[in-house]
Amino acid sequence: MAILELKDVTKKFGGLTAVNGVCMKVEPNQICALIGPNGAGKTTVFNMITGAYQVTSGDVIFDGKSICGVKPHKIVERGIARTFQNIRLFKSATVLENVMTGFHCKTKTGMLNVIFNPGKCRREEAESRQKALEILRFLNLEELKDLPAGSIPYGHQRLLEIGRALASGPKLLLLDEPAAGMNSQEKNELVETIRKIRDRYNLAVLLVEHDMELVMGISENITVINFGSRIADGTAEEIQHNNDVIEAYLGRSDD
């Protein structure tokens, strides 16, 4: 059973149809990509999956259940985490504190525990701290743990945002332009990191990315959309030789 399935998903903003009847599947432990020219509707699809936008019609099925109408924080609790095209870290908080915020959806202590059972709160915070350190160690960011997140190199900030997403314990990780602003070496390292994340945390990955070399090198399945509609779906080799995809990216020849 697919971990994620989009069934004829459509999103309209007034008279504008941003996404039109898109179907897509992501299998457990699979690394997939959603690609298309600028303005094709990729981020809108991500926003519908995560509950930021409600679908106009169609259905989004995650782990066998519809998540249409589910609040974004509840979708995180069910097991979907994401990063953003524009990095959204707490810049003045430390690297470690940023990852610890990702455990918020998993914590069980509330305000009453803070007042009447502070010991439980301290234990839970200590556990979150230890797990956050393990994630930073895995991402080779542990040495930066006490630095403000806004002061570390850009490529490391990208990894940190992924680390914070991992802290929520996802079954599906959505990466929105994870290689944006990275140099060639950082992109190569990112490819290996994504594979290691999939294997270690036993999760599926769906990424939106404009770097076609990265997409073709890492994706086990690729869905292509253009003007809000799906135009192709398949392996990297199939997508590279698909005439509709070539036309969408390069335009139609007049010859």
Side-chain angles (χ1 to χ4, degrees), residues 151-255:
S151 71
I152 67 175
Y154 183 85
H156 288 156
Q157 289 187 34
R158 284 278 177 196
L159 287 178
L160 177 56
E161 194 174 38
I162 292 174
R164 184 175 61 185
L166 289 174
S168 66
K171 299 175 184 177
L172 173 65
L173 179 62
L174 307 181
L175 303 178
D176 194 352
E177 299 281 357
M182 288 187 172
N183 60 40
S184 296
Q185 180 180 344
E186 289 172 331
K187 288 177 183 178
N188 290 335
E189 292 172 351
L190 176 64
V191 167
E192 294 307 312
T193 297
I194 292 173
R195 289 193 179 115
K196 289 194 297 183
I197 286 171
R198 185 268 302 273
D199 295 340
R200 173 160 179 166
Y201 293 97
N202 195 33
L203 50 75
V205 178
L206 175 61
L207 60 94
V208 164
E209 181 54 62
H210 283 292
D211 189 306
M212 288 299 101
E213 184 177 355
L214 185 150
V215 168
M216 297 301 169
I218 196 174
S219 304
E220 296 160 358
N221 192 78
I222 301 170
T223 299
V224 188
I225 60 175
N226 191 28
F227 296 112
S229 298
R230 188 182 76 168
I231 61 172
D233 184 89
T235 65
E237 184 176 1
E238 290 169 339
I239 295 301
Q240 286 174 316
H241 295 92
N242 186 291
N243 289 331
D244 291 334
V245 176
I246 294 171
E247 182 179 319
Y249 276 94
L250 300 179
R252 179 178 297 175
S253 173
D254 293 328
D255 296 336

Side-chain angles (χ1 to χ4, degrees), residues 50 99 142 159 169 172:
T50 56
V99 178
E142 187 178 16
L159 287 178
L172 173 65

Side-chain angles (χ1 to χ4, degrees), residues 20 41 47-48 52 57 86-87 92 94 99 102-103 113 129 133 184 206 211 223 226 237 247 254:
N20 185 24
N47 285 336
M48 286 189 288
S57 62
N86 299 314
I87 296 174
S92 60
T94 68
V99 178
F103 289 102
N113 289 112
R129 180 184 179 86
L133 284 170
S184 296
L206 175 61
D211 189 306
T223 299
N226 191 28
E237 184 176 1
E247 182 179 319
D254 293 328

Side-chain angles (χ1 to χ4, degrees), residues 20-198:
N20 185 24
V22 168
C23 296
M24 181 177 66
K25 287 185 179 181
V26 178
E27 302 294 335
N29 304 110
Q30 193 176 42
I31 299 176
C32 297
L34 176 66
I35 67 171
N38 287 330
K42 303 181 297 295
T43 297
T44 300
V45 170
F46 263 30
N47 285 336
M48 286 189 288
I49 294 171
T50 56
Y53 295 160
Q54 294 303 311
V55 304
T56 302
S57 62
D59 204 357
V60 180
I61 308 295
F62 175 68
D63 206 13
K65 297 180 180 178
S66 174
I67 54 173
C68 288
V70 178
K71 298 293 185 182
H73 70 280
K74 291 294 184 181
I75 290 177
V76 174
E77 290 177 7
R78 291 193 185 192
I80 298 179
R82 74 169 293 180
T83 64
F84 294 87
Q85 182 176 352
N86 299 314
I87 296 174
R88 299 186 185 182
L89 295 173
F90 300 106
K91 297 294 181 70
S92 60
T94 68
V95 167
L96 178 61
E97 289 167 343
N98 267 272
V99 178
M100 289 179 67
T101 63
F103 289 102
H104 175 72
C105 69
K106 301 294 184 181
T107 57
K108 298 180 174 59
T109 54
M111 185 59 67
L112 290 177
N113 289 112
V114 173
I115 299 171
F116 298 110
N117 194 355
K120 182 177 181 180
C121 293
R122 286 193 294 270
R123 287 192 299 273
E124 194 168 71
E125 182 179 359
E127 290 174 3
S128 295
R129 180 184 179 86
Q130 184 57 42
K131 291 177 181 178
L133 284 170
E134 291 173 3
I135 290 173
L136 291 177
R137 193 173 301 122
F138 174 70
L139 296 173
N140 295 319
L141 296 175
E142 187 178 16
E143 292 183 357
L144 307 177
K145 63 182 175 65
D146 296 321
L147 296 178
S151 71
I152 67 175
Y154 183 85
H156 288 156
Q157 289 187 34
R158 284 278 177 196
L159 287 178
L160 177 56
E161 194 174 38
I162 292 174
R164 184 175 61 185
L166 289 174
S168 66
K171 299 175 184 177
L172 173 65
L173 179 62
L174 307 181
L175 303 178
D176 194 352
E177 299 281 357
M182 288 187 172
N183 60 40
S184 296
Q185 180 180 344
E186 289 172 331
K187 288 177 183 178
N188 290 335
E189 292 172 351
L190 176 64
V191 167
E192 294 307 312
T193 297
I194 292 173
R195 289 193 179 115
K196 289 194 297 183
I197 286 171
R198 185 268 302 273

